[in-house]
Amino acid sequence: MMKMKHTLFPHFFVTLLMLLLTSMPYLVYSYHDYHEALVKSILFFEGQRSGNLPRDQRVEWRAHSGLGDGFEHGLDLTGGYYDAGDNVKFNFPMAFTTTMLAWSVVEFGEFMPPSELRNSLVAIKWATNYLLKTVSQPNRIYVQVGDPISDHNCWERPEDMDTKRTVYMVDAPNPASDVAGETAAALAAASLAFRSADRGYSETLLRNAQNAFQFADSFRGAYSDNSDVRGGACPFYCDFDGYQDELLWGAAWLRRATEDDTYLNYVASNAHTLGADDNINEFGWDNKHAGLNVLVSKEVLEGSTYSLQLYKSSADSFMCTLIPETSSFHIEYTPGGLIYRPGGSNLQHATTISFLLLVYAKYLDKTSQTVNCGAVSVGADKLRRIAQRQVNYILGENPLGMSYMVGYSLKYPQRIHHRGSSLPSIKDHPQPIACKEGSIYFNSTQPNPNVHIGAVVGGPGEDDLYDDNRADFRKSEPTTYINAPLVGALAYFTANPGPN
């Protein structure tokens, strides 16, 4: 991932345009069916499942896959999610996806219709059941299943997979603080999501979260620095930004799940040594800083916890960078109003930032506070308007009039970069399609035969243009970590469609 740009925009027109996009009430339309989008955003995860599919599987073009994962080590590592359009299980982004799904339920589950709250918990559990397997042995964590080089050299359905299902693991004293820390965060957040629905499962998740964090903290370092892992993880999901943020992130979630002062003290006392004061304005599968600051700020806002003030100051600073009226404004927007960062899969930034805006707005509202951006005071409603503008853009309120969620509205991407979607379903074409035999489907200009409902693609470029080209994976590939934070945002807007 590339670093967030920190350049101010000197052009008066751009600033004026963003003032209009984020402030004018007529831009908050009522025609978006947020409930429909929520339903589909959750359904997407069923199309990403690996393992033995249940009888109530709703995405019928998928079937069982990866049933031998882990068997070469005498283990059952079946289950979990394929992160994107390929057939590898990368645990680093999968754990982050799980954390965001769980956080969506923790903050906005009350706004979900009962059926979608249930489906959200099912989506979380599909991931946590797998993650529990990866940390089931003391001082060991399994971090990936599948050789990405052989996988990416093929275009085949997960049901036909005949590429290497290499298992990558890290044993102490070798470190994996990033993956173990994110896994701890995922399990701790999920324990909160399940607390009222399944107390026993919640306790299992929390116990394993604590163990995963202990491993992460005791043996510090990045998993992708390990020579046994690097060839599989890189350059796809290397730890580019360091492991320190995952330690703070895991501890912060354990603090919230346990209310144990041990974790509070960890987050407070390690803020400087683990880089919390770096104030990096980014949030995603590799860099947790902005999300960490928002999460921890809850205790400052609600409990005036002075030892955590650094996190609140950083969270405020991040919010100010998104506000065109402030002197701190330096996030890049496309001419059509989409948050933009170079590097591909851009909508991951739009969805994570929208989610953080809504969460911080919730915390501010509860305590009747605002964000001080120098000469400008920013309230919760302003943050929600910016978030809604991003969500609306994704759903079709953009220069192309295209929904970037597959299956939502009449115009959406038809040729997404996704093996299972682009190849005939095993139910329609029972004969195996070998590694290179899938190339004809990859190169086809025809729409994908299987509509991957709810999938949100990488999205348009900085010029708001989108070519609907299967080969352009940076724009046309969906990922679980694009969808996961969008679930929370859509849940909020389902119950609060606006105007905000």
Side-chain angles (χ1 to χ4, degrees):
M1 293 177 66
M2 299 179 68
K3 296 290 186 184
M4 181 80 77
K5 284 190 175 182
H6 292 272
T7 55
L8 292 171
F9 290 92
H11 303 296
F12 172 76
F13 173 75
V14 174
T15 302
L16 178 61
L17 176 63
M18 290 316 306
L19 284 169
L20 292 172
L21 289 173
T22 58
S23 301
M24 295 183 69
Y26 73 81
L27 284 170
V28 181
Y29 290 98
S30 59
Y31 68 76
H32 291 296
D33 190 336
Y34 296 116
H35 175 261
E36 177 191 346
L38 173 64
V39 170
K40 291 178 175 178
S41 71
I42 299 168
L43 180 63
F44 161 74
F45 289 93
E46 293 193 20
Q48 295 299 118
R49 284 172 169 173
S50 180
N52 192 1
L53 303 187
R55 290 183 177 179
D56 61 356
Q57 169 82 8
R58 294 177 293 169
V59 179
E60 296 182 351
W61 49 267
R62 284 296 323 283
H64 310 314
S65 64
L67 299 183
D69 286 356
F71 284 16
E72 64 181 86
H73 293 273
L75 299 166
D76 175 9
L77 290 176
T78 59
Y81 291 113
Y82 304 118
D83 73 295
D86 53 23
N87 301 324
V88 183
K89 296 192 300 200
F90 294 100
N91 290 16
F92 197 14
M94 193 196 307
F96 176 70
T97 292
T98 310
T99 306
M100 294 310 298
L101 277 174
W103 200 3
S104 293
V105 168
V106 169
E107 299 292 354
F108 304 119
E110 64 182 303
F111 298 127
M112 295 180 180
S115 60
E116 296 317 308
L117 176 57
R118 182 171 59 253
N119 287 332
S120 295
L121 291 175
V122 168
I124 295 167
K125 195 170 187 177
W126 194 268
T128 53
N129 281 350
Y130 168 77
L131 293 175
L132 287 172
K133 297 175 184 180
T134 69
V135 294
S136 61
Q137 300 175 24
N139 290 327
R140 170 180 289 178
I141 182 169
Y142 295 91
V143 298
Q144 184 174 320
V145 179
D147 172 56
I149 303 302
S150 61
D151 180 272
H152 290 174
N153 282 334
C154 292
W155 194 260
E156 61 184 355
R157 303 173 297 200
E159 294 82 3
D160 289 335
M161 222 171 0
D162 53 5
T163 53
K164 297 177 183 177
R165 299 303 288 171
T166 307
V167 172
Y168 298 87
M169 65 183 177
V170 177
D171 284 320
N174 297 304
S177 299
D178 31 31
V179 182
E182 184 62 66
T183 300
L187 297 176
S191 76
L192 286 168
F194 276 97
R195 187 157 289 174
S196 60
D198 189 338
R199 187 77 183 192
Y201 189 64
S202 172
E203 291 173 355
T204 296
L205 293 170
L206 186 55
R207 183 173 61 254
N208 281 272
Q210 292 171 312
N211 292 339
F213 180 76
Q214 184 64 42
F215 177 68
D217 191 41
S218 299
F219 309 99
R220 294 188 179 186
Y223 88 117
S224 53
D225 288 344
N226 186 321
S227 59
D228 293 333
V229 171
R230 188 171 185 82
C234 300
F236 314 102
Y237 293 104
C238 284
D239 185 340
F240 297 100
D241 290 316
Y243 63 87
Q244 295 89 341
D245 53 329
E246 278 82 28
L247 289 176
L248 292 170
W249 179 241
W253 272 110
L254 281 165
R255 162 62 179 174
R256 183 148 177 189
T258 64
E259 299 184 3
D260 188 332
D261 285 346
T262 302
Y263 297 111
L264 174 78
N265 295 334
Y266 183 100
V267 172
S269 62
N270 286 286
H272 295 290
T273 57
L274 294 179
D277 49 354
D278 290 348
N279 196 22
I280 299 171
N281 296 319
E282 187 176 335
F283 187 46
W285 61 264
D286 187 33
N287 196 313
K288 311 306 177 330
H289 281 90
L292 168 69
N293 293 330
V294 167
L295 177 67
V296 175
S297 293
K298 185 176 189 290
E299 292 219 38
V300 183
L301 287 163
E302 296 181 4
S304 301
T305 311
Y306 180 76
S307 63
L308 302 176
Q309 184 61 42
L310 167 67
Y311 294 92
K312 163 117 180 5
S313 298
S314 295
D316 285 348
S317 175
F318 175 65
M319 297 300 156
C320 294
T321 68
L322 301 166
I323 311 297
E325 301 96 320
T326 73
S327 59
S328 303
F329 171 59
H330 65 232
I331 298 297
E332 185 175 350
Y333 289 86
T334 68
L338 177 68
I339 288 172
Y340 180 79
R341 287 191 58 233
S345 297
N346 180 64
L347 288 184
Q348 66 180 302
H349 309 299
T351 61
T352 56
I353 290 173
S354 296
F355 180 85
L356 292 184
L357 284 163
L358 293 172
V359 171
Y360 209 56
K362 176 183 176 182
Y363 297 166
L364 291 173
D365 255 357
K366 188 172 182 180
T367 56
S368 301
Q369 297 188 51
T370 59
V371 178
N372 181 8
C373 297
V376 179
S377 180
V378 178
D381 284 349
K382 177 70 171 180
L383 301 184
R384 292 192 184 103
R385 283 198 298 274
I386 297 173
Q388 191 165 20
R389 171 62 186 146
Q390 296 304 301
V391 172
N392 288 355
Y393 185 108
I394 292 170
L395 296 181
E397 194 177 307
N398 54 62
L400 296 183
M402 172 177 280
S403 163
Y404 291 104
M405 174 183 285
V406 174
Y408 179 87
S409 88
L410 297 178
K411 184 180 180 182
Y412 54 82
Q414 303 286 321
R415 300 164 189 85
I416 67 173
H417 183 96
H418 190 279
R419 287 159 175 77
S421 172
S422 67
L423 291 157
S425 168
I426 195 170
K427 296 179 180 178
D428 296 327
H429 189 292
Q431 298 79 17
I433 301 173
C435 172
K436 297 301 182 181
E437 291 177 358
S439 298
I440 188 174
Y441 299 101
F442 174 78
N443 294 319
S444 170
T445 59
Q446 294 299 309
N448 289 7
N450 305 309
V451 180
H452 198 349
I453 293 175
V456 180
V457 296
E462 60 186 327
D463 52 5
D464 294 302
L465 297 182
Y466 182 84
D467 298 328
D468 200 9
N469 180 357
R470 193 177 295 115
D472 188 357
F473 64 90
R474 290 179 177 83
K475 291 183 176 181
S476 63
E477 187 170 22
T479 72
T480 57
Y481 46 87
I482 293 175
N483 267 65
L486 186 59
V487 168
L490 290 169
Y492 176 80
F493 290 123
T494 293
N496 304 277
N500 283 294

